[in-house]
Amino acid sequence: MNMMIRKANAEDAKPIATYLMLAMEDIFYGFIGERNYEVAIEVLEELIQSRGNQYSFENCWVAELDSEPVAVACVYNGGNLYQLRKPVGELIKTRFNRDFNPEDETQSGEFYIDCVGVSEYHQGKGLGSKMFNFLIDEFVHKRNETLGLLVEEENPNAKRLYQKLGFKVVGEKTLMGKKLDHMQIS
């Protein structure tokens, strides 16, 4: 299986939104205040196509098999969290008349892996691990940066994978009321 990973572009919005929703469906429904998949995808696509927000194509990497997007990672500088969240909050306020002020999921001093999503048809084939290995190589080895992520206690398989890749628990964070382990690799 020959996978290529590249920076995303605005035209990737549809597959990026689809794969991000696979990984963060409940959280995003919490953001918009309703469990409506079509509406959530529409909002995500709008954010992905725009610049300067946490879900922008500017912060995404796309994995392709035979030129077909099959996985995505959304990664950004944790020190820019408030600046990147502002347009998300403005869109949610405008479209849903809801305040958007979730807890801080990241911080200065790390590039934050907000989300990694893999096509339903390609899950269980190691693409997620390959994406994480790519991100570790790109950010930790090439750029000498720290990568951070959050993992739910109810997801011990993910936590084991992250530990196997070299991530270590450095603390605890809360996001949308859920307690999560904060893990990093340097």
Side-chain angles (χ1 to χ4, degrees), residues 25-84:
E25 187 172 12
D26 288 337
I27 287 175
F28 206 76
Y29 288 153
F31 289 172
I32 65 173
E34 58 184 79
R35 293 189 69 82
N36 183 320
Y37 182 81
E38 289 76 22
V39 169
I41 287 288
E42 182 182 308
V43 171
L44 259 176
E45 283 183 26
E46 184 174 337
L47 289 167
I48 292 161
Q49 290 171 342
S50 303
R51 294 181 178 272
N53 72 80
Q54 69 194 97
Y55 302 112
S56 171
F57 69 91
E58 299 167 308
N59 298 318
C60 293
W61 296 86
V62 173
E64 292 182 329
L65 288 175
D66 301 322
S67 300
E68 175 81 23
V70 294
V72 65
C74 181
V75 182
Y76 50 84
N77 185 329
N80 297 336
L81 178 63
Y82 297 121
Q83 171 189 338
L84 294 171

Side-chain angles (χ1 to χ4, degrees), residues 54-124:
Q54 69 194 97
Y55 302 112
S56 171
F57 69 91
E58 299 167 308
N59 298 318
C60 293
W61 296 86
V62 173
E64 292 182 329
L65 288 175
D66 301 322
S67 300
E68 175 81 23
V70 294
V72 65
C74 181
V75 182
Y76 50 84
N77 185 329
N80 297 336
L81 178 63
Y82 297 121
Q83 171 189 338
L84 294 171
R85 263 193 185 163
K86 189 175 182 207
V88 178
E90 289 169 354
L91 180 62
I92 289 172
K93 183 70 170 169
T94 301
R95 294 262 322 253
F96 304 96
N97 196 29
R98 291 179 56 83
D99 289 328
F100 176 76
N101 48 10
E103 304 89 340
D104 293 351
E105 57 196 292
T106 183
Q107 63 207 24
S108 292
E110 74 177 11
F111 273 78
Y112 177 63
I113 303 172
D114 187 295
C115 198
V116 173
V118 178
S119 159
E120 289 178 291
Y121 306 107
H122 292 89
Q123 290 179 5

Side-chain angles (χ1 to χ4, degrees), residues 126-173:
L127 297 181
S129 294
K130 287 182 180 182
M131 181 65 90
F132 276 101
N133 282 319
F134 169 82
L135 295 173
I136 290 166
D137 187 52
E138 180 68 29
F139 288 92
V140 177
H141 301 138
K142 291 180 182 170
R143 301 184 191 187
N144 200 29
E145 298 286 355
T146 297
L147 273 175
L149 55 79
L150 299 180
V151 63
E152 296 180 20
E153 287 180 15
E154 303 85 46
N155 197 346
N157 291 339
K159 186 173 180 179
R160 275 193 296 280
L161 169 65
Y162 304 149
Q163 288 172 322
K164 186 175 154 189
L165 292 169
F167 285 86
K168 295 187 176 13
V169 175
V170 296
E172 202 176 76
K173 293 211 179 259

